[in-house]
Amino acid sequence: MANSKGRVAGKVALITGGASGLGAESARLLAAEGASIMLTDRAAEAGQAVADEIAAAGGKVHFLTQDVVDEARWIEVVAETKKRFGRLDILVNSAGIGGFSELMTMGLADWRNMIAVNLDSIFLSMRYSGPVMAEGGGGSIINLSSILGKVGTPGASHYCASKGGVLMLTKAAALEWAPLKIRVNSVHPGYIETAMVQNALREIPNGNEMRDQLITKHALGRLGMAHEIAEGVLFLASDASSFMTGAELVIDGGYTAA
Ligand SMILES: NC(=O)c1ccc[n+]([C@@H]2O[C@H](COP(=O)([O-])OP(=O)(O)OC[C@H]3O[C@@H](n4cnc5c(N)ncnc54)[C@H](O)[C@@H]3O)[C@@H](O)[C@H]2O)c1
């Protein structure tokens, strides 16, 4: 492919949340850099469209519909990845949900749904992918946390708790699996221009005002772009980061520097 340096050539990557935003952009970049991609998402049509686009550009890719909170489906997805591509070297956990909810009025169901989709899913993902990676001699796991896994914000306590959980799950797994040569790192984006942020801002009454406020919290004076996060994912997926595990890759335009 044009401009490819083959930074993940010959590797097999499983990417969740691949129908949109950071998962889709990471899939495009990893495919362009030579990886075979198993792309999954609960959004079947949009996910297949991303896969078709990658294939049309010359990438190796297959799409599977997957709800990441479904344990039985994880077993099938990992088995299908092994069957189709023979191994698993890279796991990118990007499926997730956002949203605002006040702690004084939040229902237990909303809390549980956030924790299930953003945190339980990463446990399931690592639990069933880990053995296949270990069998192949190791690999790299990249978990999408957030700046809100490191610092709090009002109105999103369920999201912050889920992403803080991802941060610590990553560190514990990194220590447990270092002897297996499985590296596990987390990525902490600032606010990025994807459907997640755009929809969340659309759903609140003062969305435009909120967007302006958010921009001022990023020292670089803008929100991030999906490709700026995908570059970090590629770095962690590739052998360029071979001495990194249990680390937090913060890509936030300076949000957490203040
Ligand atoms: N966009 C940001 O500003 C930002 C910032 C920090 C962290 N993140 C994190 O990065 C990840 C990707 O976010 P994004 O901005 O690309 O969001 P997005 O909404 O554009 O994409 C998320 C994808 O996950 C899928 N998904 C949601 N629930 C699922 C489920 N149960 N099973 C399978 N797929 C499911 C959606 O269908 C969607 O395609 C998320 O974990 C998010 O929390 C995003």
Side-chain angles (χ1 to χ4, degrees), residues 20-22 41-42 66-68 94 145 159 163 190 192 194 197:
S20 174
L22 309 183
D41 203 290
R42 69 179 171 187
Q66 178 188 26
D67 185 331
V68 288
S94 191
S145 175
Y159 185 81
K163 294 300 182 178
I192 312 299
T194 67
V197 167

Side-chain angles (χ1 to χ4, degrees), residues 200-214:
L201 290 175
R202 203 174 302 128
E203 279 162 22
I204 54 173
N206 58 343
N208 284 340
E209 211 177 292
M210 176 89 164
R211 166 182 284 273
D212 292 343
Q213 276 172 22
L214 285 177

Side-chain angles (χ1 to χ4, degrees), residues 170-232:
T170 298
K171 288 191 191 299
L175 296 178
E176 196 165 320
W177 287 354
L180 302 172
K181 297 191 169 35
I182 300 176
R183 299 186 295 112
V184 194
N185 293 289
S186 53
V187 175
H188 302 262
Y191 285 81
I192 312 299
E193 294 281 6
T194 67
M196 177 178 285
V197 167
Q198 287 155 359
N199 293 341
L201 290 175
R202 203 174 302 128
E203 279 162 22
I204 54 173
N206 58 343
N208 284 340
E209 211 177 292
M210 176 89 164
R211 166 182 284 273
D212 292 343
Q213 276 172 22
L214 285 177
I215 287 173
T216 65
K217 290 188 172 180
H218 296 73
L220 292 178
R222 64 175 175 86
L223 304 189
M225 304 302 291
H227 74 86
E228 295 174 307
I229 306 305
E231 288 290 348

Side-chain angles (χ1 to χ4, degrees), residues 60-224:
K60 278 183 240 123
V61 62
H62 184 75
F63 175 75
L64 293 176
T65 307
Q66 178 188 26
D67 185 331
V68 288
V69 302
D70 180 342
E71 182 171 13
R73 187 61 179 146
W74 266 112
I75 296 169
E76 291 169 359
V77 164
V78 171
E80 182 62 25
T81 305
K82 196 177 165 199
K83 191 170 151 214
R84 190 169 280 270
F85 296 117
R87 51 186 297 110
L88 179 59
D89 306 293
I90 299 162
L91 175 63
V92 181
N93 287 309
S94 191
I97 52 172
F100 298 104
S101 185
E102 298 287 334
L103 191 51
M104 288 258 186
T105 49
M106 190 189 307
L108 182 58
D110 285 348
W111 167 270
R112 285 194 170 143
N113 186 49
M114 185 67 82
I115 300 294
V117 177
N118 287 358
L119 182 56
D120 292 2
S121 67
I122 297 196
F123 157 68
L124 291 171
S125 172
M126 295 202 296
R127 164 66 184 83
Y128 291 107
S129 302
V132 177
M133 276 193 169
E135 208 179 278
S140 175
I141 299 177
I142 298 124
N143 292 328
L144 266 296
S145 175
S146 169
I147 46 169
L148 300 181
K150 291 172 63 66
V151 297
T153 197
S157 55
H158 52 352
Y159 185 81
C160 292
S162 72
K163 294 300 182 178
V166 172
L167 170 74
M168 287 314 301
L169 174 57
T170 298
K171 288 191 191 299
L175 296 178
E176 196 165 320
W177 287 354
L180 302 172
K181 297 191 169 35
I182 300 176
R183 299 186 295 112
V184 194
N185 293 289
S186 53
V187 175
H188 302 262
Y191 285 81
I192 312 299
E193 294 281 6
T194 67
M196 177 178 285
V197 167
Q198 287 155 359
N199 293 341
L201 290 175
R202 203 174 302 128
E203 279 162 22
I204 54 173
N206 58 343
N208 284 340
E209 211 177 292
M210 176 89 164
R211 166 182 284 273
D212 292 343
Q213 276 172 22
L214 285 177
I215 287 173
T216 65
K217 290 188 172 180
H218 296 73
L220 292 178
R222 64 175 175 86
L223 304 189

